[in-house]
């Protein structure tokens, strides 16, 4: 099977399911769930089959290149292609998406109201999420990014809790604000990019997708440029090409506004857009509301997958395309990351609502992702230390996957309790261990995974991030590691308040029935993955390490090259007082270790 | 005053006065018919301008005069203005039938 | 040239023009048939809707440009059938005019002017004509479905609609101020009557009265501005005006600045009124509330499309790209012998190279060589200040209009009023690329073409979105007898299909991907970025954000609010004629993005003739 | 100095009539008086047209505008304005706004009217500007000041022919280059359609609704 057919069918299979539900006259809610379950199950099976060795389409580990990449003409005159592909960064997230979505649909049994619309929307949502991770064309990425938005708005707004309308509109507004900034950044990058740059010759010749789409045009342009002829610039939306342009040429270094370069602005706009989705601290306030009001399965998807879109955007687009700006912003971003970690943890400590607590823990955990990415100016002998950066990135990626598993599990736990006793007040729980022993045992595992207990998945990511931060700034690493303590604090305290203790003293005690088989299997699957990743992290690293390392190497090389050859700049670094106050010197000052 | 030949500028001044009168009429009159009269004044100012611009003898740069184009424009403007007035009156009548007044200040059903 | 020859030429021109002007002629004929059918007694038994529909469908078919082989093979064209027909008609021996000039083609093709330079027949004209006539077809079908107008007034209302459409088509193809004014009048005056279609209702007659009074005033001001502009530039023919303007500025004649400025401003007032741009938007909400939803759709889509077409013609026409070498009377009289022109333009070219910075030196050199080759038809630097002024005025107005429209929409309780403000906001979006196109005229012709193409695309999307929304409003009005937003509460439970369509249309109006509204908006933003109008780009982006609130509020009421007790049932199943009609308008909105490439090719083709 | 130009005398007379009655339209409170003042103002304008050599336009102004439009307006007055509605005073606030507006617009428009030296009239313009073309014209003007004013009257034949697309007023050699000068065939034809549509529209609004069944709509 060609990769085009394979990836497209994975991507649009949920849509097919949605159509089936739509045109199935008088379908019952249970039947809806079954159809969606089969549909998402098949998608999950297909993505997991990539993991198996030996199949013709299996995903080769330890490979840095894009696999199953293909591009079809969509809007060739705007250089927009239907370009999908998998690599070490997107592949784990695709698998996570398929898995979590399947589990979320499995957990949707309690949804009885407007079941047809619910399942249609959730299936569309899955397509959108898969599309975000699969697409390698910036424009296509943006389209899928927005496609995710609409179903989510309705899923929260119709099936949510008491303040659903407020939560839904808040989510919608925050995200769309970010998307508008992203759209502007997207236009900036597109119109600044030019594939006919001679420095890209090697890339243009080697990249099969570029060859297939605009190769001849680009090569002609390059030849003409080498011969000093005037050429129309050849813009591109290809993410990989944009990365190369950012890393090999200075097309994005043009000053744009107020003395800052184009890539500075592009980074800023993109970063805000992704940070909102992530969510980072000043713009995180939509998240607790959305999580609290969303129905359980939607919370699982929201925490398990949607937040990862922000992190993915940072790793895939923000950092590789704008390396210098990334370096300029290293400290602010890192500090924001640490603040998010601490703030999220503190806020979680202060919550009385169980679901809100879990939501704030998400804020805290996603802070690690940002911190891990920000450590891009670690110096080792005048060179940017690509190893430390790769470690940070790996940690961030691992953290995303781990959080996807553990937070989905935690939200499921909360949802299970809420379905039974219709409240989430932490001080009214207690003693669940006696009433629901199996469930409690599994939840302990999930919560410990989230806490970062060694041997479970949360640990690896956090420790990688903190280690690389240590090299970047010891102070930030120390402050950041306080989060470990706080996390342990609120998780343990929660466990104590909810599961331990003598007696359940809240309302509706008679409803606290033991977990059903379905519920146990959902939690069990999640816990199994948490343990697998915890004790054998290589099972994940083997897929993403190569790509991440390559990215980090390329960026580090770019930044080192920028720093080194210029004698004058070295001079500046020694005596910053006499330097003219332009951006470059600011940059140099900032990156001084 | 009477010894100087007349130029386009003289006509433009007359046109400007008519125009201003028309605009003031449109803004101050509370009566639909009054407002329409203001419109007629404005249109007639424009027609006057066209006619003045068409006469090469009124100016130094004779070759830049509009000639017959200005006349045709003026003719069409007259015809269109008459048509517009007819429709506006029909609408005013219709309004009168529904409201028993043609005072636009009493047109308050819509928030404005 | 003898008098006889003059008549032969005029006759030839009229014939050749008539051939490509058939759609409008068919519309006019339909009007006459609608009138004549009242005479015989059996005439009242024939459905006037049917006649109007057939007429407009025929007009639409005719508006598809018929295939000419002339471009590919000029030899073949001369032997093509229309020519031989023409030659027989006109004179025994082929007219001198064809022998004497290479410019003359056998018959009219896209890019020519018709009716002796009064009207441009180019891609943009063809596009607008198709859009407008297609809209009329769709609107007539909608009117058949909703039952407004009733049988008595049907013939009258359809006559007015068709008459206004002829006016719109004149507006978008005008190459001459007279045609522009005639078009505006032909379009507006029937619209005033249409606003009062339900003549027994108080608010309808009030809407019509307000519309007519404000409209007449705006038309008067516009005519006054046209008189000043034409007088100062010595012609009313747009390309000639542009040429004279360029020459005036090039010769350093600056005593007419005030006249030109005031004249241009007054014309802009008239256009802004038609576009309902801030601060001349005030009629729009009142008229929309008073008129029926069907008429609102007409005013909101067709009228705005025509106004933006005229704005494009005017802004681009006056600021520097004459489409063809011109032989207008004034230009002829001015004795612009080619030598003189060359001298002026050489001076221009030199001053230009001096003015431009080093980075643009190469570009300037290129332009200079171009200027030497084709002195009349190329943009030159002397019009740059004029362009800057136009860009500033239109850009400012666009920014204010969008922002005002979006902010004022918040407090509205009536859906038609809300859509009126939404229309105002969208008019602002539509004006943005016009500013971008003018800004790019002398820098980057391809970019300017993109900007005009973005208008085309936005209008295509806008056609479906707004017609769909107003169709739903009209259909719901027939069921629940109300147009208040609060009465729409919980309507999703009665007619889910309709509300899903409504939701898609609303999200498309916001401009969210993957819907059609995004397509247009993205393109507009791209044009703004390319034109360097970053402030406008940010304002546009911010406004997209503002607009979310009120569109979502309507949707929220329809979907999330509980139903009121006292409401007549609103069930409109999607599998019924009205439901299918709405679905047919929604489906393109949902899937237009997939067919971006053909749309892009088409829109670029439509915009191309403007920049020959 | 002592050479009184009768053309100018008539111009000033008509200008005073036109502007004076226009001001009266604005100032009058009685709608019938306004209509009468408008008649005189528009007639004065027609006189100005005749002086500018636009005989046909002047005649049309008298026939269509003064004749047709005003009859329509007076019809409107008679049909709609009964008793108390005939005279409607504007409030003092309106007048303040009006005065400010008049001041502002005149302050803009009058300088505009005088801003182009070429337009000050043949003699005056020539004395002020210095270009070679214009001095030649000045000599011409001085040579024959009496005739310069009314030298170009557009004949009805020319207008009529231009309305069917034939331009006889232009230099004929210039027309041989292939591009025809604007003939006004299209507007002439299409305006008839416009008038038809307008007529139907006006009749539609003005005629009473045939009572058949009550309307279904709110």
């Amino acid at each position: 099977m060609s990769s085009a057919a394979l990836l497209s069918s994975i991507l649009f299979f949920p849509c097919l399911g949605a159509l089936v539900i739509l045109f199935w006259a008088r379908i019952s809610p249970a039947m809806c769930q079954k159809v969606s379950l089969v549909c998402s199950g098949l998608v999950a099976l297909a993505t997991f089959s990539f993991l198996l060795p030996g199949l013709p389409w299996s995903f080769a580990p330890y490979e840095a290149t894009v696999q199953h990449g293909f591009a079809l003409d969509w809007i060739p005159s705007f250089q927009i292609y239907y370009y999908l592909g998998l690599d070490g960064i997107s592949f784990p997230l695709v698998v996570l998406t398929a898995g979590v979505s399947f589990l979320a649909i499995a957990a949707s049994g309690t949804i009885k109201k407007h079941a047809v619309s619910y399942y249609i929307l959730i299936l569309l949502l899955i397509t959108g999420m898969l599309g975000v991770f699969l697409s390698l064309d910036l424009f296509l990425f943006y389209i899928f990014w927005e496609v995710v938005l609409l179903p989510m708005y309705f899923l929260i707004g119709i099936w949510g809790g008491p303040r659903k309308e407020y939560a839904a509109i808040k989510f919608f507004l925050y995200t769309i604000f970010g998307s508008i900034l992203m759209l502007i950044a997207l236009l900036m990058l597109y119109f600044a990019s030019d594939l006919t740059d001679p420095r890209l010759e090697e890339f243009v010749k080697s990249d099969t997708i570029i060859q297939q789409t605009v190769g001849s045009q680009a090569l002609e342009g390059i030849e003409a440029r080498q011969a000093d002829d005037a050429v129309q610039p050849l813009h591109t939306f290809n993410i990989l090409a944009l990365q190369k342009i950012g890393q090999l040429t200075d097309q994005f270094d043009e000053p744009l506004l107020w003395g800052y370069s184009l890539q500075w602005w592009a980074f800023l706009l993109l970063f805000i857009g992704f940070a909102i989705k992530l969510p980072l601290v000043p713009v995180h306030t939509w998240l607790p509301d959305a999580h609290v009001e969303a129905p359980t399965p939607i919370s699982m998807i929201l925490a398990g997958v949607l937040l990862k879109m922000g992190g993915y955007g940072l790793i895939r687009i923000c950092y590789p395309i704008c390396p210098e700006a990334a370096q300029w912003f290293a400290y602010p971003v890192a500090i924001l990351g640490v603040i998010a970690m601490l703030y999220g943890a503190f806020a979680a400590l202060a919550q009385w609502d169980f679901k809100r607590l879990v939501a704030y823990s998400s804020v805290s955990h996603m802070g690690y992702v940002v911190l891990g990415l920000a450590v891009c100016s670690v110096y080792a002998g005048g060179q940017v230390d690509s190893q430390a950066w790769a470690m940070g990135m790996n940690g961030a990626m691992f953290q995303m996957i781990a959080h996807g598993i553990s937070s989905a599990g935690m939200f499921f736990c909360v949802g299970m309790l809420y379905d039974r006793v219709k409240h989430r007040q932490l001080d009214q729980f207690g003693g669940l261990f006696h009433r629901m022993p199996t469930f409690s045992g599994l939840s302990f595992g999930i919560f410990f995974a989230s806490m970062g207990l060694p041997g479970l998945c949360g640990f690896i990511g956090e420790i990688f991030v903190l280690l690389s931060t240590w090299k970047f700034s010891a102070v930030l690493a120390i402050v950041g590691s306080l989060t470990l303590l706080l996390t342990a604090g609120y998780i343990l305290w929660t466990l104590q308040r909810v599961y331990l203790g003598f007696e359940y003293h809240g309302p509706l005690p008679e409803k606290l029935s033991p977990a059903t088989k379905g519920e146990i299997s959902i939690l069990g699957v999640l816990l199994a993955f948490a343990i697998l990743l915890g004790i054998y992290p290589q099972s994940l690293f083997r897929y993403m390490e190569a790509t991440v390392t390559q990215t980090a190497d390329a960026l580090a090389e770019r930044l080192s090259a920028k720093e080194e050859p210029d004698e004058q700049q070295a001079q500046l670094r020694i005596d910053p007082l006499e330097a003219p106050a332009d951006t470059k010197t600011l940059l140099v000052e900032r990156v001084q270790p | 005053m009477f010894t100087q030949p007349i130029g386009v500028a003289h006509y433009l001044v007359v046109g400007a006065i008519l125009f201003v009168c028309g605009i003031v009429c449109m803004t101050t009159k509370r009566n639909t018919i009054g407002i329409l009269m203001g419109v007629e004044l404005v249109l007639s100012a424009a027609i006057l301008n066209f006619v003045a611009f068409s006469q090469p003898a009124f100016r130094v740069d004779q070759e830049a005069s509009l000639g017959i184009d200005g006349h045709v424009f003026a003719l069409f403007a007259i015809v269109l203005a008459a048509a517009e007035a007819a429709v506006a009156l029909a609408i005013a009548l219709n309004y009168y039938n529904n409201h028993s007044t043609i005072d636009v200040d009493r047109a308050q059903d819509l928030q404005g | 040239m003898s008098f006889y020859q003059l008549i032969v030429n005029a006759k030839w021109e009229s014939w050749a023009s008539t051939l490509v002007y058939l759609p409008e002629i068919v519309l006019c004929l339909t009007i006459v048939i609608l009138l004549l059918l009242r005479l015989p007694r059996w005439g009242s038994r024939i459905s006037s809707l049917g006649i109007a529909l057939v007429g407009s469908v025929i007009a639409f078919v005719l508006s598809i440009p018929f295939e000419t082989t002339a471009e590919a093979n000029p030899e073949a064209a001369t032997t093509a059938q229309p020519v031989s027909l023409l030659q027989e008609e006109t004179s025994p021996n082929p007219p001198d005019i064809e022998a004497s000039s290479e410019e003359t083609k056998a018959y009219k093709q896209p890019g020519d002017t018709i009716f002796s330079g009064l009207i441009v027949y180019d891609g943009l004209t063809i596009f607008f004509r198709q859009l407008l006539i297609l809209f009329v077809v769709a609107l007539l079908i909608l009117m058949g479905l909703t039952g407004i107008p009733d049988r008595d007034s049907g013939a009258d209302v359809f006559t007015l609609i068709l008459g206004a459409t002829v006016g719109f088509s004149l507006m978008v193809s005008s190459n001459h101020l007279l045609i522009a004014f005639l078009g505006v009048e032909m379009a507006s005056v029937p619209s005033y009557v249409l606003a009062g279609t339900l003549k027994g209702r108080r608010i309808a007659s009030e809407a019509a009265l307000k519309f007519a009074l404000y409209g007449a005033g705006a038309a008067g001001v516009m005519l006054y501005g046209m008189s000043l502009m034409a007088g100062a530039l010595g012609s009313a023919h747009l390309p000639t005006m542009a040429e004279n303007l360029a020459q005036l500025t090039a010769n350093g004649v600056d005593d007419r600045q005030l006249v030109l400025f005031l004249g241009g401003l007054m014309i802009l007032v008239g256009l802004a009124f038609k576009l309902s741009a801030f601060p001349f938007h005030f009629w729009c909400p009142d008229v929309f509330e008073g008129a029926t939803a069907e008429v609102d759709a007409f005013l909101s889509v067709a009228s705005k499309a025509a106004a933006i077409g005229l704005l494009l013609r005017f802004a681009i026409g006056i600021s520097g790209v004459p489409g063809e070498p011109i032989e207008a009377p004034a230009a002829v009289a001015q004795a612009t012998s080619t030598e003189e022109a060359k001298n002026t333009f050489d001076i221009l070219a030199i001053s230009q190279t001096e003015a431009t910075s080093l980075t643009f030196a190469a570009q300037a050199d290129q332009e200079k060589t171009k200027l030497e080759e084709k002195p009349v038809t190329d943009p030159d630097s002397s019009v740059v200040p004029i362009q800057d002024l136009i860009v500033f005025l239109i850009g400012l107005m666009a920014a204010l209009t969008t922002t005002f429209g979006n902010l004022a929409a918040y407090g509205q309780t009536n859906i038609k009023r809300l859509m009126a403000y939404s229309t105002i906001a969208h008019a602002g979006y539509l004006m943005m690329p016009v500013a971008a196109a003018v800004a790019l005229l002398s820098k980057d012709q391809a970019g300017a073409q993109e900007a005009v193409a973005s208008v085309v695309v936005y209008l295509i999307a806008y056609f479906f979105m707004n017609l769909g929304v107003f169709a739903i409003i009209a259909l719901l009005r027939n069921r629940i007898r109300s147009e208040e937003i609060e009465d729409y509460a919980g309507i999703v439970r009665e007619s889910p299909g309709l509300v899903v369509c409504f939701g898609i249309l609303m999200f498309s109006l916001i401009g969210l991907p993957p819907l059609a509204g995004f397509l247009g908006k993205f393109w507009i933003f791209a044009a703004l970025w390319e034109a360097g109008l970053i402030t406008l780009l940010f304002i546009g982006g911010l406004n997209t954000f503002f607009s979310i609130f009120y569109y979502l509020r309507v949707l929220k009421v329809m979907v999330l609010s509980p139903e009121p007790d006292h409401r007549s049932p609103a069930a409109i199943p999607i599998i019924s004629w009205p439901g299918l009609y709405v679905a047919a308008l929604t489906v393109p909105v949902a899937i237009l993005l997939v067919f971006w490439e053909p749309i892009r090719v088409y829109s670029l083709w439509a915009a191309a003739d403007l920049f020959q | 100095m002592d050479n009184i130009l009768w053309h100018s005398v008539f111009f000033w007379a008509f200008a005073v009539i036109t502007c004076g009655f226009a001001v009266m339209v604005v100032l009058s409170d009685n709608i019938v008086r306004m209509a009468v003042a408008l008649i005189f103002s528009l007639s004065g304008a027609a006189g100005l047209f005749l002086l500018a050599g636009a005989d046909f336009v002047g005649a049309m102004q008298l026939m269509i505008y003064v004749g047709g439009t005003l009859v329509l307006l007076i019809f409107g007055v008679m049909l709609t304005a009964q008793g108390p509605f005939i005279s409607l005073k504007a409030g003092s606030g309106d007048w303040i706004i009006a005065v400010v507006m008049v001041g502002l617009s005149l302050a803009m428009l009058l300088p505009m009217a005088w801003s182009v030296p070429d337009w000050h009239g043949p003699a005056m313009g020539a004395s002020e500007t210095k270009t070679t073309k214009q001095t030649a014209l000045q000599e011409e003007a001085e040579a024959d000041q009496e005739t310069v004013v009314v030298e170009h009257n557009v004949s009805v034949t020319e207008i009529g022919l231009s309305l069917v697309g034939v331009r006889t007023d232009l230099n004929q050699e210039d027309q041989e280059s292939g591009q025809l000068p604007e003939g006004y065939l299209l507007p002439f034809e299409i305006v008839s359609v416009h008038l038809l549509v307008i007529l139907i529209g006006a009749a539609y609004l003005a005629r009473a609704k045939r009572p058949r069944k009550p309307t279904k709509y709110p």
Side-chain angles (χ1 to χ4, degrees), chain C residues 1 3 6 10 13-14 116 118-119 146 150 153 156 176 182 186 189 197 199 201 255-256 327 329 332 478, chain D residues 115 117-118 165 168 170 172 174-177 180-183 185-186 190 194 198 200 204 207 209 217-218:
Chain C
M1 196 189 287
F3 183 69
L6 269 180
E13 173 79 14
S14 310
S116 56
L118 293 185
I119 279 194
T146 59
D150 53 18
S153 46
D156 297 326
H176 193 280
L182 186 64
M186 278 189 80
V189 182
T197 310
K199 56 190 181 185
R201 291 177 64 202
D255 56 1
R256 295 180 190 197
E327 292 294 330
V332 175
N478 278 4
Chain D
S115 65
D118 284 357
T168 48
L170 298 176
Q172 293 190 353
D174 296 327
Q175 294 187 27
E176 285 181 11
S177 54
L180 291 167
E182 300 102 84
L185 179 68
L186 173 73
I190 211 107
H194 175 58
I198 292 306
I200 293 173
Y204 167 67
R207 80 157 187 259
K209 182 103 180 160
Y217 311 105

Side-chain angles (χ1 to χ4, degrees), chain D residues 196-215:
Chain D
L196 173 65
V197 171
I198 292 306
L199 220 62
I200 293 173
Y204 167 67
L205 280 183
R207 80 157 187 259
K209 182 103 180 160
R210 266 171 258 165
R212 197 181 264 176
K213 53 183 178 192
T215 46

